[in-house]
């Protein structure tokens, strides 16, 4: 398989970012990226990490000091962690940290 160009890498990272934004865990996103683009898990993990960076950039641009948005994110992340723990999938349990 040939090496992906910059546009293809952006497309892959966008796909992964969409999945993360929908609430999927990093592990699930890595698996989906790996399957969708027929990549190794190592390559898919790199793309998932880039996707997470894209989401962080978006938050920095929209002024995260919005209390309602922060509250919703916290509730959503806690629900995701709870579902993961109930299904014995603890890999997403430490996804968000608060400083």
């Amino acid at each position: 398989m040939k090496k992906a160009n910059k546009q293809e890498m952006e497309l892959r990272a966008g796909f992964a970012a969409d999945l993360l934004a929908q609430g999927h865990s990093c592990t699930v996103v890595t698996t989906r990226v790996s399957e969708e683009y027929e990549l190794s898990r190592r390559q898919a993990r790199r793309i998932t990490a880039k996707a997470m960076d894209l989401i962080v950039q978006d938050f920095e641009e929209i002024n995260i000091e919005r209390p309602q948005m922060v509250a919703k994110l916290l509730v959503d992340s806690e629900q995701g962690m709870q579902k993961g723990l109930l299904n014995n999938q603890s890999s997403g349990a430490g996804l968000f940290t608060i400083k």
Side-chain angles (χ1 to χ4, degrees):
M1 179 179 278
K2 68 179 183 168
K3 186 174 179 175
N5 61 30
K6 184 177 179 178
Q7 184 178 9
E8 181 65 21
M9 289 301 293
E10 288 175 1
L11 179 70
R12 292 173 181 180
F15 174 74
D18 286 342
L19 292 173
L20 288 168
Q22 291 171 21
H24 296 286
S25 70
C26 289
T27 303
V28 169
V29 173
T30 298
T31 300
R32 291 277 309 273
V33 169
S34 177
E35 292 170 353
E36 179 77 19
Y37 298 105
E38 298 178 357
L39 301 171
S40 70
R41 289 204 46 91
R42 184 176 183 181
Q43 289 172 306
R45 275 193 299 273
R46 280 192 225 123
I47 291 168
T48 302
K50 260 185 201 181
M52 187 63 78
D53 290 343
L54 285 174
I55 292 172
V56 169
Q57 277 181 323
D58 286 348
F59 281 139
E60 288 174 353
E61 290 175 13
I62 62 168
N63 184 9
I64 196 65
E65 305 229 355
R66 299 177 185 172
Q68 290 176 328
M69 179 184 285
V70 173
K72 172 126 176 59
L73 288 169
L74 289 173
V75 168
D76 289 348
S77 66
E78 286 189 11
Q79 286 175 344
M81 288 185 289
Q82 197 173 39
K83 286 179 184 176
L85 291 172
L86 288 172
N87 294 315
N88 201 24
Q89 297 175 339
S90 59
S91 62
L95 183 62
F96 295 101
T97 57
I98 305 212
K99 294 181 181 180

